[in-house]
Amino acid sequence: MMESALVHFLKADYLLYFNLTWDDKTMQIRKEEHPSGRFEIRDCQSHIIQYKGHGVSCINNNAQFNVEIIDFEYYINLFQGKEAGEGNKCDFIINPIAGYDFIIFNELTESKKRYIKPFEVPSTGEQREGKLAYAKKQLEESIERFYSVNNFLDNYVRKVALFSCRLTDGRGDSVMAQSMKAFRRPQKVFSNIHSHDLLVHGFVFEQRIYDHEFKVV
């Protein structure tokens, strides 16, 4: 089975930087592949790729690449208690198995609308940063992990930091109630972001609210 450049980096370069070695007998990279078309993914499930309607992040592999979705959080958690496992990490990394056309660092969340941007805790008055700011932090620190080792990510033509959010407001409501809420809701408050703003190391930030999809190219 062909091994992608990203998997090789995770098994070799990243661990070598921390004076660790990969052991195929005791370690595994949790990943799934998808050859073409649209797919949905979700974290903390027995399978990464989900049936339509059950995901959090929607990806459109419109260029028919054979892509792999790597559970990056699972990988980093292999090294808990060691320097290689410290700090924040995003949920998934998506890339083509062959070539360097794109790489997507993907942070997922399920949340009510009021928690996406900074909010106040009603019972205490405490100010919280919100899911969006937290996601950007997760994504940036995940990217920095790679650049602390070398410039491997600069091989990729398109570099994306993607925040995928599934809003939980209205779950359990009737269809009529959900329609009324959608009608009353201010438009574009929590919209999809097609951004030209750069985060770190030339990564472009994008945001998608379920079930709007992100196209890989």
Side-chain angles (χ1 to χ4, degrees):
M1 181 180 294
M2 180 179 180
E3 188 172 273
S4 69
L6 176 58
V7 168
H8 177 76
F9 175 91
L10 295 175
K11 286 184 174 182
D13 298 41
Y14 185 78
L15 295 188
L16 182 62
Y17 179 79
F18 294 101
N19 296 314
L20 299 172
T21 55
W22 182 263
D23 184 353
D24 279 320
K25 294 181 179 179
T26 61
M27 300 177 179
Q28 67 170 330
I29 300 256
R30 183 174 186 261
K31 65 186 184 74
E32 292 180 13
E33 299 179 10
H34 195 275
S36 63
R38 185 184 187 277
F39 60 94
E40 300 184 11
I41 62 177
R42 190 175 196 160
D43 58 330
C44 303
Q45 305 296 313
S46 57
H47 294 282
I48 297 172
I49 298 175
Q50 301 290 302
Y51 291 111
K52 183 178 180 180
H54 294 268
V56 173
S57 178
C58 299
I59 306 296
N60 187 342
N61 181 14
N62 54 319
Q64 309 296 302
F65 290 100
N66 191 15
V67 303
E68 66 182 1
I69 307 98
I70 293 176
D71 189 333
F72 188 59
E73 183 174 21
Y74 177 91
Y75 168 80
I76 293 298
N77 286 344
L78 291 173
F79 313 108
Q80 285 185 341
K82 300 182 176 66
E83 187 179 358
E86 293 178 353
N88 291 315
K89 59 272 187 184
C90 66
D91 293 306
F92 298 109
I93 302 178
I94 305 167
N95 70 293
I97 295 175
Y100 297 90
D101 292 85
F102 62 87
I103 190 161
I104 304 162
F105 282 64
N106 196 185
E107 176 68 11
L108 285 60
T109 193
E110 297 180 72
S111 173
K112 292 184 177 181
K113 293 189 296 293
R114 67 176 181 270
Y115 298 131
I116 303 299
K117 294 185 177 181
F119 64 94
E120 181 180 292
V121 179
S123 59
T124 64
E126 180 185 0
Q127 296 293 323
R128 297 285 182 87
E129 65 179 0
K131 298 284 188 177
L132 174 57
Y134 179 77
K136 285 185 175 181
K137 184 188 304 180
Q138 297 282 89
L139 291 162
E140 288 187 322
E141 291 191 21
S142 298
I143 294 164
E144 290 288 8
R145 285 180 181 275
F146 282 73
Y147 281 95
S148 67
V149 177
N150 56 37
N151 293 329
F152 164 73
L153 293 179
D154 286 343
N155 292 311
Y156 289 90
V157 177
R158 188 184 190 196
K159 300 187 293 184
V160 176
L162 174 64
F163 173 46
S164 299
C165 176
R166 182 162 184 159
L167 298 176
T168 58
D169 302 69
R171 284 189 180 177
D173 290 345
S174 67
V175 174
M176 179 64 73
Q178 291 185 40
S179 297
M180 288 301 295
K181 287 181 180 179
F183 177 76
R184 293 168 181 162
R185 184 166 59 238
Q187 297 300 306
K188 298 184 180 180
V189 173
F190 300 108
S191 61
N192 302 295
I193 295 174
H194 301 265
S195 176
H196 297 291
D197 294 334
L198 299 181
L199 292 184
V200 290
H201 303 288
F203 272 76
V204 174
F205 177 76
E206 298 273 348
Q207 175 179 300
R208 295 293 183 277
I209 306 300
Y210 187 87
D211 59 351
H212 292 274
E213 62 189 29
F214 176 81
K215 295 182 178 181
V216 298
V217 294

